[in-house]
Amino acid sequence: MSSVVPAFGPDAPARLAGLADVTASDAALRRFLHGLPGVDAVGLEARAAGLGTRSIKTTAKAYAIDLAISMIDLTTLEGSDTPGKVRALCAKGRRPDPTDPGTPHVAAICVYPDMVAVAREALGEGSGISVASVATAFPAGRVALPVKLADTADAVAAGADEIDMVIDRGAFLSGRYMEVFEEIRAVKQACVRKDETAAHLKVIFENGELSTYDNIRRCSWLAMLAGADFIKTSTGKVAVNATPANTLLMLEAVRDFREAVGVQVGVKPAGGIRTSKDAIKYLVMVNETLGDDWLSPEWFRFGASSLLNDLLMQRQKLSTGRYSGPDYVTVD
Amino acid sequence: MANEKFAYAPAPESRAIVDLAPSYGLFIDGEFADAADGTVFKTVSPSSEEVLAEVARAGEADVDRAVKAARKAFGSWGALPGAERGKYLFRIARILQERSRELAVLETLDNGKPIRETRDVDLPLVAAHFFYYAGWADKLAYAGYGPDPRPLGVAGQVIPWNFPLLMLAWKIAPALAAGNTVVLKPAETTPLSALFFADVCRQAGLPRGVVNILPGYGDAGAALVAHPDVDKVAFTGSTQVGRAIARTVAGTRKKVTLELGGKAANIVFDDAPVDQAVEGIVNGIFFNQGHVCCAGSRLLVQESVQEEVLDALRRRMSTLRVGDPLDKNTDVGAINSAEQLARITELAEAGEAEGAQRWAPACELPTSGYWFAPTLFTGVTQAHRIAREEIFGPVLSVLTFRTPAEAVEKANNTPYGLSAGIWTEKGSRILSMASKLRAGVVWANTFNKFDPTSPFGGYKESGYGREGGRHGLEAYLDV
């Protein structure tokens, strides 16, 4: 492969077209996905646990904490969300630690589609923070395709920079891979704005529902073949969300995909990552599986809400030597 | 893969937890004592060549004294109810757990292996072994060796330097559980953890003479094995020394177990889970710097996936962190001794001279101490020395095969037979391969996994007898 192109760039579709034969029919796609190497669960989990024992101290810790903050999709996805809540979250995202202006801002604010306009306005111009919106009837995705597409288009029209879609797990689990593939393609199309630019598309698998590691690897390739800019572990709304092992598996998938197709895709673990220690373990996995090329908010994100405050407390402790406690970070 | 942005800062484990004395004696009859002839030797840290301590060097007279002490102690120890012996072993296991950090640091200092391994593998397994055999002490009647199996008497045990404390546990735990007393000789390059274990025995209140530790060289080991009042000989080490021991004990009443060398095949089929297979290959040969008798030192990869597997393996090897064994992020530590380094170097050069292609990731090795970069040889055939001789270092020889039958043939085509690995997603192939491989341990979709409940031992020149599990009791019972 001569060069690597980003999944959201203009050259990616041509690269994907090079694999048109594997997505030419339901049978071809199935053969391809089922031909991927299997995953040994014990070995995968052991590797993830092994990387979790890395000891990240002093300068490395400071780097990791700032990087993790800059990779956060600061999220509120509740029925009780209000404009006030979303504005507060945007303020927090811009200046996570009011006592230290050197603190990096988060990558994005992640909200439901009806809150996109509020977030857009609250962030204003030039904040460097994206507005991400879940769409396609998040989290269950149990509506007809036209409704999903309308949901997506609505969020994009309201100013979303990024769309986090959910796949149809029912279709995937019943083996209708082509249906899932076509749906991702359609949503990707719905992300295109009037001026031909497009919101970045993150594809959520809901690993807890896909259940097996083999399924997660297949789903990763399926989503990347369909044009996903990011692949994302989970909605945060089910019992099992991001785990070190299922995230590691997706990291391996984007690595292999880039190797094979020359298209670079990002990864976003979401749900259940609450402490700095956890976040650093994920960054170690990125570092040792993918290396420098993925160590930026452009290619790796954390879908999280409470994680930010723990990172801020650890950041304060590193700079002052004291652990000041939860009353010294803001509650939003 | 570039790894420059996120550079890990040094994360050294503190060595303050280990209180090293300038000198150590022999441990005989519950007391530390100088050697009868007063000789001593130095033990160094292989990662820095720093002298750690001076240790008394056992000679023939000391062996005799230790065996006499063990014989005397056997009378009452062997007669204790199993439940009482079990209590001592449980106590030792708990103390080992409590002192695990200290012992892990000590082992890393004396052996050169990374703290990550001593902390996460060696010490947990050491304690597990004592817990496991403690449980057998009062259940020997149910072990399948008759209603009232008797101990043998005095066990003379000689252990290697690659897992000093773990090999001690493999030897001492079943021996004591069965009611024997022991005289153990640790390797000359790694005597310290055995001497700290002597202190653990005292802390546990173990009766005098039940455990005797004789640091020393091969001459002490030979004297111990040959001692007429030793009832049982257990040895882990090289096949060459194993042969000498077999000759020594031939024709005597002594019962022997030998756990010797290996040249294990790690067999990767075209349907293997590639990422996990690569982890298994790495763990199989670079765990403990390849100083592992059951190391997967021959990679047999199906020719149709050779490139894919080797590309992934090279990429993974490039992320191995070689350096200060006390750093918690170190994956590969120091070679145990200058002598071993010379042997590895010589065999690697022979590999090149015989036409195999040598590759190692770019890695900066420390300037003092004994170091060897993780190394891969491709284009190796069964005729190469590096495919036949045990290197006992971080050197992997890659061979290819076309069919399962050829894999079996090549895997078995070695004088050794300690272990083997199979990587395939096909369960029936695992069973079929496992039944054809002549190796004591066959791992399926994993490698170098140890558990006290599982017997371990070899075919052919890898030795005889089994250690671990219920089978491990047989070696220490009069059956």
Side-chain angles (χ1 to χ4, degrees), chain A residues 287-302:
Chain A
N287 192 36
E288 299 202 27
T289 310
L290 301 172
D292 288 353
D293 291 353
W294 268 267
L295 281 174
S296 80
E298 200 178 3
W299 297 111
F300 192 77
R301 295 281 180 85
F302 289 108

Side-chain angles (χ1 to χ4, degrees), chain A residues 127-257:
Chain A
S127 66
I129 300 175
S130 300
V131 175
S133 174
V134 297
T136 68
F138 179 95
R142 298 247 70 99
V143 296
L145 181 60
V147 182
K148 293 182 185 178
L149 298 180
D151 193 21
T152 307
D154 180 51
V156 174
D161 304 295
E162 301 171 0
I163 294 295
D164 290 27
M165 71 169 286
V166 291
I167 64 157
D168 183 341
R169 282 87 79 189
F172 185 93
L173 290 170
S174 62
R176 288 176 279 133
Y177 299 132
M178 204 53 173
E179 200 174 310
V180 181
F181 177 81
E182 295 293 3
E183 193 168 284
I184 296 170
R185 293 249 283 212
V187 175
K188 174 115 179 168
Q189 202 50 47
C191 288
V192 179
R193 304 186 189 94
K194 286 205 177 74
D195 63 358
E196 296 295 304
T197 62
H200 290 189
L201 179 63
K202 306 193 194 103
V203 179
I204 306 172
F205 300 170
E206 201 68 300
N207 286 344
E209 293 184 351
L210 297 188
S211 190
T212 70
Y213 291 124
D214 288 331
N215 275 346
I216 294 169
R217 172 169 282 166
R218 288 170 190 154
C219 194
S220 298
W221 279 80
L222 172 64
M224 291 187 288
L225 287 168
D229 299 318
F230 257 77
I231 54 177
K232 177 174 166 183
T233 57
S234 43
T235 61
K237 301 289 185 193
V238 296
V240 176
N241 291 290
T243 65
N246 69 35
T247 305
L248 174 60
L249 178 57
M250 290 165 68
L251 296 174
E252 290 170 353
V254 298
R255 178 197 67 200
D256 296 343
F257 190 76

